[in-house]
Amino acid sequence: MFKLGQEITSDQAMRFSIETAKLGRGFVSPNPLVGCVIVDSQHKFLASGAHLRFGGEHAEINALKNLKDKSKLNGARVYVTLEPCAHEGKTGSCAKALSKYPIKEVYYGLKDPNPLVAGQGLEILIKNGIDTYPFGKYEEECEEVCEQFLYHIAHQKPFISMKVGTSLDGKIALASGESQWITGEEARKHSRNLRAHYDATLIGAGTFMFDDPLLDFRGTGYEHEKKNKVIILDPKGKAASSFKDSKINKKHGPKNVFVLTRSEFSEAWAQNLVHVINWDSSKDSWNQALKNLYNKGIASVFVEGGSYVFGQLLEHQLVQKIYMYQAPKVLGAGKSWSDFLKLESLSEAKVFKKWKTIPLGEDRLNILYF
């Protein structure tokens, strides 16, 4: 955190705006995460702000509010992760708000792909005498911080990440089905926190019936701040009869549960008063189901198993990112997270664009991007 009047570089300003944007994780969907830093004409820190809640003020407005002495904006520079918005929605236009002050320059990480903005925010600034420049250097980091927004705006369906807790040899359970716990407590708490960064959590019927999970945010800062939505993939309708007494029903209630199932099992699930979406295992059906979820307000999905769900999503190339929590254990014969992914040749192997590894206690978190 920088103090008022502290001199900072342009690199520091943009990096801090990226970190500041993350303060809104889990609360701004379907809007993007955005951070903003304002410095004076001598490049001394004035204020920062983030978009913290959907329907609340945007990052630029919060940064302006956090600056008590507006006279310091004469010749100021603004660093923002995403182009200031042009449109008037739940809040006013950030570009118009910035244009009210004698700001000299605005540096932005990314142009906003939203058709309601798409360069129009920059036009407003330029027409009001404010110079605008793409920052360039941290474009990849800016893309990562608002990856969910960039994807769903472009595709009109949810951004999908998979979470896998596995041994070194890729097992998520013993042959008996025993799986609690392969990874340690630090990794499990990290994944619960990560779960809260998404609009909904997806599990298969097997995971629902065998584990009876809570899928909550206990032990994190989101525990009393946010409700989780749950999606259950149930191809054979076998979980409908056990839903009433499940932890998911008791914790989240049917209005927050969405079920993807074949049409012949829709009625059985509908009796539980959940949202039922017809589905089969084809790619077209998956795409339609995902669009239906998107139209119901789900712009991002965190997938937590099991291997049938993983296999389906990988087969149809519907996953954008994988979080693989890997424990330093070898389980031998057992159930692999990729058991249901069937390939005919090595040329069909799923290849990641990039990956990085983070230590988590005794475990490791591999973050892989398609």
Side-chain angles (χ1 to χ4, degrees):
M1 179 65 183
F2 295 98
K3 296 179 180 178
L4 180 65
Q6 181 179 350
E7 189 169 336
I8 66 173
T9 67
S10 56
D11 265 26
Q12 288 175 319
M14 184 53 80
R15 286 204 306 269
F16 188 48
S17 70
I18 292 169
E19 290 305 308
T20 301
K22 296 174 184 177
L23 296 174
R25 287 185 297 198
F27 295 115
V28 304
S29 181
N31 286 352
L33 292 168
V34 182
C36 177
V37 168
I38 305 174
V39 300
D40 68 13
S41 59
Q42 304 301 310
H43 227 279
K44 293 178 180 178
F45 179 79
L46 292 179
S48 63
H51 182 31
L52 298 173
R53 295 269 178 173
F54 176 72
E57 301 288 11
H58 290 186
E60 299 92 327
I61 306 302
N62 280 330
L64 289 169
K65 283 186 173 181
N66 289 334
L67 177 61
K68 294 180 180 178
D69 185 359
K70 300 295 193 293
S71 67
K72 294 182 180 294
L73 289 171
N74 189 22
R77 294 175 176 88
V78 174
Y79 294 83
V80 63
T81 54
L82 189 69
E83 172 190 353
C85 65
H87 60 292
E88 308 279 346
K90 288 182 177 293
T91 60
S93 162
C94 293
K96 290 180 181 178
L98 292 172
S99 297
K100 294 177 181 177
Y101 299 98
I103 292 167
K104 181 181 180 182
E105 297 167 344
V106 170
Y107 292 85
Y108 58 95
L110 301 171
K111 274 192 175 182
D112 192 334
N114 188 339
L116 296 173
V117 185
Q120 296 176 61
L122 300 179
E123 289 179 11
I124 291 171
L125 295 171
I126 293 167
K127 285 179 180 178
N128 285 276
I130 298 175
D131 295 328
T132 66
Y133 303 96
F135 194 81
K137 184 174 180 180
Y138 298 110
E139 185 172 345
E140 188 173 310
E141 289 83 352
C142 289
E143 286 176 350
E144 185 178 333
V145 82
C146 63
E147 61 191 3
Q148 296 179 10
F149 171 78
L150 295 175
Y151 183 85
H152 83 70
I153 281 290
H155 300 279
Q156 300 296 294
K157 60 183 181 180
F159 179 94
I160 296 180
S161 288
M162 278 173 29
K163 184 218 85 175
V164 184
T166 177
S167 62
L168 280 177
D169 52 344
K171 301 301 188 296
I172 58 174
L174 298 177
S176 65
E178 182 183 353
S179 61
Q180 297 180 334
W181 296 102
I182 294 174
T183 55
E185 173 56 30
E186 188 172 344
R188 297 198 297 275
K189 182 176 180 180
H190 186 277
S191 72
R192 288 196 298 273
N193 194 70
L194 194 59
R195 179 188 292 155
H197 297 173
Y198 289 76
D199 291 340
T201 302
L202 168 61
I203 59 170
T207 300
F208 172 81
M209 297 177 71
F210 191 86
D211 294 344
D212 192 20
L214 273 171
L215 300 182
D216 62 359
F217 310 132
R218 63 193 181 281
T220 76
Y222 297 91
E223 186 169 3
H224 305 294
E225 297 294 322
K226 182 182 177 183
K227 290 276 190 180
N228 196 15
K229 292 184 172 67
V230 177
I231 305 165
I232 301 170
L233 177 67
D234 189 7
K236 299 179 180 179
K238 61 184 180 181
S241 61
S242 56
F243 176 76
K244 182 179 178 181
D245 296 322
S246 69
K247 291 177 182 176
I248 285 175
N249 181 36
K250 293 173 182 176
K251 178 68 179 179
H252 306 288
K255 68 177 182 178
N256 289 314
V257 176
F258 302 77
V259 176
L260 310 186
T261 191
R262 299 184 190 277
S263 57
E264 58 264 39
F265 305 114
S266 295
E267 182 56 35
W269 266 110
Q271 292 177 12
N272 288 306
L273 305 179
V274 299
H275 304 271
V276 181
I277 296 174
N278 288 340
W279 165 95
D280 62 47
S281 58
S282 69
K283 185 169 185 176
D284 286 345
S285 179
W286 265 111
N287 280 321
Q288 186 57 55
L290 291 173
K291 286 183 181 295
N292 286 344
L293 289 169
Y294 184 72
N295 291 334
K296 292 180 183 293
I298 296 175
S300 59
V301 176
F302 193 57
V303 184
E304 299 202 37
S307 55
Y308 176 76
V309 182
F310 294 156
Q312 279 279 301
L313 293 170
L314 287 172
E315 177 186 342
H316 296 311
Q317 299 178 304
L318 298 170
V319 181
Q320 284 71 61
K321 189 174 186 179
I322 295 180
Y323 294 93
M324 181 175 289
Y325 297 87
Q326 200 165 36
K329 302 172 182 176
V330 175
L331 301 187
K335 299 180 179 181
S336 168
W337 69 279
S338 58
D339 274 344
F340 284 86
L341 178 63
K342 307 298 182 184
L343 303 178
E344 298 296 328
S345 68
L346 279 175
S347 64
E348 298 175 347
K350 306 303 178 184
V351 181
F352 297 97
K353 180 175 67 173
K354 61 176 181 173
W355 72 342
K356 60 184 176 181
T357 299
I358 301 169
L360 282 175
E362 295 180 351
D363 303 321
R364 295 291 182 271
L365 170 60
N366 298 306
I367 306 175
L368 307 108
Y369 304 82
F370 281 109

